[in-house]
Amino acid sequence: MNDCLFCKIAGKKIPSMIVRETDEWVAFRDINPQAPTHVLVVPRKHVATVNDLDPATAGMLVEAGKSIAREEGLAERGYRLVLNCNAEAGQTVFHVHLHLLGGRTMKWPPG
Ligand code: 5GP
Ligand code: ZN
């Protein structure tokens, strides 16, 4: 997608703080972090929302989030993986992305 922000970040047309990348996904730090660790994991292929997400890609994003959580020292402390889908959930970028949040105590229910 030519005018998709996260396609541009994944393609390095827009700079970001990349944490790790593979042929299938890119993980980079959120520009407006909501926790000491706030990483976004995106598939390289454009998928708009969770409603369009296939099981293999969903699993891949979770595995990536788990792996980066471990690297960031969060595996035992705890962390949150979030997928916001569409307007009421607060999705603002319509290229599916897994939020990895950690490094502080999280509240429930989320806002
Ligand atoms: P959503 O609300 O769609 O689930 O999350 C979108 C996330 O993308 C937000 O947390 C926002 O801070 C982040 N974001 C928006 N624009 C950029 C950007 O240009 N670079 C980076 N690294 N993150 C961004
Ligand atoms: Zn995209």
Side-chain angles (χ1 to χ4, degrees), residues 11-103:
K12 300 193 177 146
K13 291 178 181 115
I14 291 178
S16 69
M17 290 178 62
I18 291 179
V19 175
R20 192 138 66 84
E21 60 185 315
T22 69
D23 289 347
E24 304 291 325
W25 53 263
V26 182
F28 53 94
R29 299 208 183 270
D30 196 291
I31 205 167
N32 183 23
Q34 301 301 311
T37 292
H38 189 171
V39 172
L40 303 174
V41 187
V42 304
R44 285 195 186 275
K45 72 174 174 191
H46 181 86
V47 176
T49 79
V50 171
N51 290 334
D52 311 302
L53 195 55
D54 64 82
T57 305
M60 178 183 86
L61 295 179
V62 171
E63 284 301 316
K66 275 169 58 179
S67 161
I68 294 162
R70 184 161 295 286
E71 284 176 359
E72 299 272 321
L74 298 171
E76 308 311 325
R77 289 178 63 177
Y79 57 91
R80 194 169 282 179
L81 299 177
V82 176
L83 289 159
N84 292 324
C85 182
N86 278 336
E88 285 198 2
Q91 184 175 3
T92 58
V93 179
F94 286 83
H95 178 132
V96 80
H97 47 282
L98 181 83
H99 294 258
L100 162 63
L101 295 146

Side-chain angles (χ1 to χ4, degrees), residues 1 4 6-7 46 95:
M1 281 268 286
C4 168
F6 286 175
C7 280
H46 181 86
H95 178 132

